[in-house]
Amino acid sequence: MFSFDATEPFQYEFFRNGLVIAGLAGALCGLIGVFVVLRNMSYIGHGLSHAVFGGAALAAVLDFNYFVGAGLWGLLSGFMIGRVSRRRIIGADAAIGVVTTASFALGLALQARYGQASRSIDAVLFGNVLGVFPSDIAAVAGVAVVSVVVVVVLYRRLLFSTFDPEVAGVSGVNVPAMEAMLMLLLSATILVTVRVIGVLLISALLVLPAATARMMTNSFGRMLWLSPVLGTAFGLLGMYASWYADVPSGAVIILAGTAAFAVVYAVVGVRGRMRMAGLEHAHPA
Amino acid sequence: MTSPSPSVAVEPLVVFEHVSCSYGDSPVVEAVDFSVAPGEFVGVVGPSGSGKTTVLRALLGSVKPVHGSVRRRQGLRLSYVPQLETVDWNFPVTVREVVAMSRPTRSWWPRMTRAEIVQIDEVLDRLGLEGLASRHIRELSGGQQQRVFLARALLQDPDLLVLDEPTAGVDVRTRHEVLHVLADLNEGSAGTRPMAIVLTTHDLNGLAAHLPRLICFNRTVVADGSPDEVLRPYFLERTYGAPMEVLRHGGMPVVVEHGGDELRERMSRRGA
């Protein structure tokens, strides 16, 4: 006898933890994703998550703290990407492809050779929201708070150096420092959320809320709060739906985001075309 | 003929002394000497790839010379208006957001204050952009787009305004519009104090011939003076590497490309 109970999953602490971390991860990825999307950094995000996976596997084998191991490995990968792409013959995208995929392969090999049976590769690749520890929640919350503070305090400088780096530099903004700051926040974001969402899905969570928000507004300020709100909604909805669908939560979170993206795309597509058509006559001197 | 930067007792805003710049090994500009005095309006003309933009970057300080020095007057306030082609028009910013980004915030909270909004709207009004503050930058005409970036530069209250190809890719009417705004700013008749202007252009007849001072540039300063002094076949050929003729029309020099005859003949032969 099937009966639907909307409050059923809330009885379980692991589900409540999962819901909190899914919402937080969605908000954090939504916020950082604004810069990822506007700076065309999504491939860097994709690469970093793969690099982190190698570091995480190595840390597990050597019995090292995950955050230290994966964080150091991520830094090393970033450094190597810089070195390889500076030789000019190889573009940055190819460099990211080589370095991070190698790192990912190393992770797979280590996992297969030394991994414990209890921690399946599936969980790493596709995320495991339900296996979160309170320390994971604390880590995501910590990075989220730091990100919000940085984005608020450096708001105009981050906007200026993202929109117009050359003029920002001339106007006294320390553009390399802003870029380094965003790379650092992106790396930290991936580091703390990748175990929840999964190596293969994290870059989608970085892109979906921001891309959806972008279609809904033409203002940077509005996009900056809309995107985390959407990310949170994707996280909570996906998490909740995954309970009933009995599918890994990372996958359902991304599917929820994709559905929202598609709806907004369809709606804005019609309106946007109408607006563009109106524009051609709207050029008073 | 390399001549007169107005040499009075006025301290120049910027002085280039034998400046050379390079990217990598090969020098892009060499042994550049000129200065800009307060209130001047200078056009740098030359073919593409001649190093005009590099000179601007050296002036702005974003490129460091490998030889020589660029001296800026103590406390000089510079504002830069980039080429419109380099702007990302899909970026989600409104007109007001673009103008505001050049202002450092005084408080930790990034929201624009009432006073800031009033000040920004004043600058927009002065440039004829009233009522457009909440528009996305793409929803403007070419001349309006150029003026938005001018407004951002003006909010910094510059002594020297620097523009890279302000009329590249715009139609005739927009070109006139931009020129008039720049002339107003230079004279101080736009409600701001007079400011010196340096711009680059490859538009000899539409823009350069109207300016009081021109620098013909190709890796180095070929000629420096009024349009009447520098728009001459000898300098133009050395600048552009192609023979050119200079006619006069309505008291102004008009540059025409030479060697069109042969081309016309070939084309007409094909038509026959």
Side-chain angles (χ1 to χ4, degrees):
Chain A
M1 178 72 192
F2 178 82
S3 73
F4 181 79
D5 179 2
T7 60
E8 182 212 339
F10 293 101
Q11 300 161 17
Y12 304 98
E13 196 193 349
F14 71 87
F15 179 81
R16 292 196 300 268
N17 281 346
L19 207 59
V20 168
I21 204 160
L24 275 173
L28 174 58
C29 288
L31 179 67
I32 299 304
V34 170
F35 295 97
V36 170
V37 165
L38 294 180
R39 290 171 161 261
N40 303 320
M41 284 163 72
S42 59
Y43 192 57
I44 296 179
H46 182 83
L48 272 175
S49 66
H50 285 66
V52 161
F53 173 67
L58 201 63
V61 168
L62 299 177
D63 202 16
F64 232 62
N65 177 284
Y66 162 79
F67 292 115
V68 175
L72 282 178
W73 192 264
L75 269 180
L76 187 70
S77 306
F79 176 74
M80 284 195 292
I81 290 166
R83 279 300 290 268
V84 173
S85 64
R86 214 162 299 146
R87 298 193 65 178
R88 296 275 170 91
I89 309 170
I90 300 163
D93 58 339
I96 293 170
V98 170
V99 171
T100 63
T101 315
S103 178
F104 184 66
L106 176 72
L108 281 179
L110 288 173
Q111 194 93 25
R113 187 76 182 78
Y114 301 104
Q116 295 137 4
S118 61
R119 292 201 70 198
S120 69
I121 287 187
D122 279 11
V124 184
L125 295 184
F126 305 110
N128 183 8
V129 189
L130 301 180
V132 297
F133 305 104
S135 62
D136 288 315
I137 296 183
V140 176
V143 172
V145 168
V146 170
S147 300
V148 169
V149 169
V150 167
V151 168
V152 165
V153 171
L154 299 179
Y155 176 83
R156 279 193 197 170
R157 275 169 277 181
L158 288 172
L159 168 58
F160 205 171
S161 57
T162 299
F163 176 59
D164 201 346
E166 188 178 14
V167 184
V170 170
S171 305
V173 176
N174 189 340
V175 177
M178 294 301 123
E179 274 164 10
M181 180 63 78
L182 286 174
M183 267 310 279
L184 213 62
L185 289 182
L186 175 61
S187 311
T189 298
I190 288 169
L191 195 61
V192 296
T193 55
V194 75
R195 282 201 294 191
V196 184
I197 307 299
V199 168
L200 298 181
L201 300 175
I202 186 70
S203 60
L205 193 58
L206 280 165
V207 170
L208 277 172
T212 309
R214 173 66 193 93
M215 290 189 291
M216 294 166 71
T217 181
N218 269 331
S219 153
F220 180 77
R222 250 172 283 153
M223 184 175 168
L224 211 46
W225 63 258
L226 202 52
S227 178
V229 167
L230 287 169
T232 310
F234 297 169
L236 296 178
L237 269 175
M239 183 68 214
Y240 186 68
S242 76
W243 175 270
Y244 294 99
D246 198 18
V247 170
S249 34
V252 185
I253 290 171
I254 299 306
L255 286 176
T258 311
F261 177 89
V263 168
V264 173
Y265 183 83
V267 171
V268 172
V270 173
R271 222 182 41 203
R273 273 195 297 277
M274 277 161 59
R275 186 161 33 158
M276 290 310 277
L279 245 181
E280 280 155 32
H281 313 287
H283 273 348
Chain B
M1 184 200 64
T2 16
S3 81
S5 350
S7 59
V8 214
V10 189
E11 189 191 349
L13 300 175
V14 182
V15 181
F16 273 61
E17 270 171 352
H18 239 64
V19 170
S20 300
C21 299
S22 62
Y23 301 119
D25 298 331
S26 50
V28 181
V29 302
E30 275 181 298
V32 177
D33 286 288
F34 71 90
S35 64
V36 180
E40 277 202 287
F41 195 157
V42 187
V44 180
V45 297
S48 35
S50 61
K52 290 182 304 230
T53 304
T54 305
V55 169
L56 282 199
R57 293 201 169 122
L59 196 160
L60 295 163
S62 59
V63 166
K64 300 269 170 278
V66 284
H67 295 294
S69 71
V70 178
R71 284 192 288 116
R72 293 177 203 84
R73 199 179 70 183
Q74 196 96 56
L76 177 73
R77 276 204 294 266
L78 275 166
S79 288
Y80 178 44
V81 179
Q83 232 185 97
L84 288 187
E85 282 169 32
T86 67
V87 172
D88 176 4
W89 296 104
N90 289 320
F91 199 95
V93 276
T94 61
V95 169
R96 192 181 281 130
E97 280 177 324
V98 169
V99 180
M101 68 174 72
S102 68
R103 276 178 65 95
T105 30
R106 303 240 160 68
S107 71
W108 59 273
W109 185 246
R111 206 177 172 78
M112 285 178 228
T113 62
R114 193 74 239 146
E116 269 180 325
I117 292 178
V118 168
Q119 197 191 1
I120 289 167
D121 287 357
E122 252 172 42
V123 176
L124 292 178
D125 285 358
R126 220 183 289 147
L127 292 177
L129 296 168
E130 58 273 345
L132 301 178
S134 309
R135 292 268 195 101
H136 184 246
I137 47 172
R138 231 241 272 268
E139 302 172 328
L140 304 171
S141 70
Q144 289 168 339
Q145 289 174 335
Q146 183 65 262
R147 280 180 283 155
V148 168
F149 286 86
L150 264 174
R152 180 176 73 180
L154 292 187
L155 205 68
Q156 298 174 317
D157 190 23
D159 307 299
L160 175 57
L161 186 62
V162 180
L163 305 97
D164 192 14
E165 295 279 358
T167 60
V170 303
D171 56 32
V172 180
R173 197 183 66 176
T174 304
R175 192 178 68 209
H176 276 270
E177 196 181 304
V178 170
L179 250 177
H180 278 284
V181 173
L182 291 179
D184 289 346
L185 293 172
N186 182 235
E187 289 164 7
S189 56
T192 44
R193 62 201 178 87
M195 63 190 74
I197 298 177
V198 173
L199 57 80
T200 59
T201 182
H202 62 256
D203 185 356
L204 287 175
N205 297 319
L207 178 56
H210 299 270
L211 304 180
R213 179 181 166 200
L214 290 182
I215 295 175
C216 291
F217 195 86
N218 195 342
R219 285 171 62 96
T220 190
V221 175
V222 175
D224 183 346
S226 70
D228 277 331
E229 291 170 311
V230 306
L231 293 183
R232 295 180 179 188
Y234 173 72
F235 294 132
L236 289 170
E237 182 162 357
R238 283 184 57 201
T239 305
Y240 287 88
M244 291 186 178
E245 239 176 292
V246 180
L247 313 175
R248 295 200 70 83
H249 178 76
M252 282 194 8
V254 179
V255 180
V256 287
E257 271 175 59
H258 210 55
D261 296 347
E262 187 217 357
L263 196 64
R264 191 168 344 106
E265 211 170 286
R266 280 177 60 189
M267 291 296 173
S268 65
R269 266 209 308 275
R270 191 182 315 164

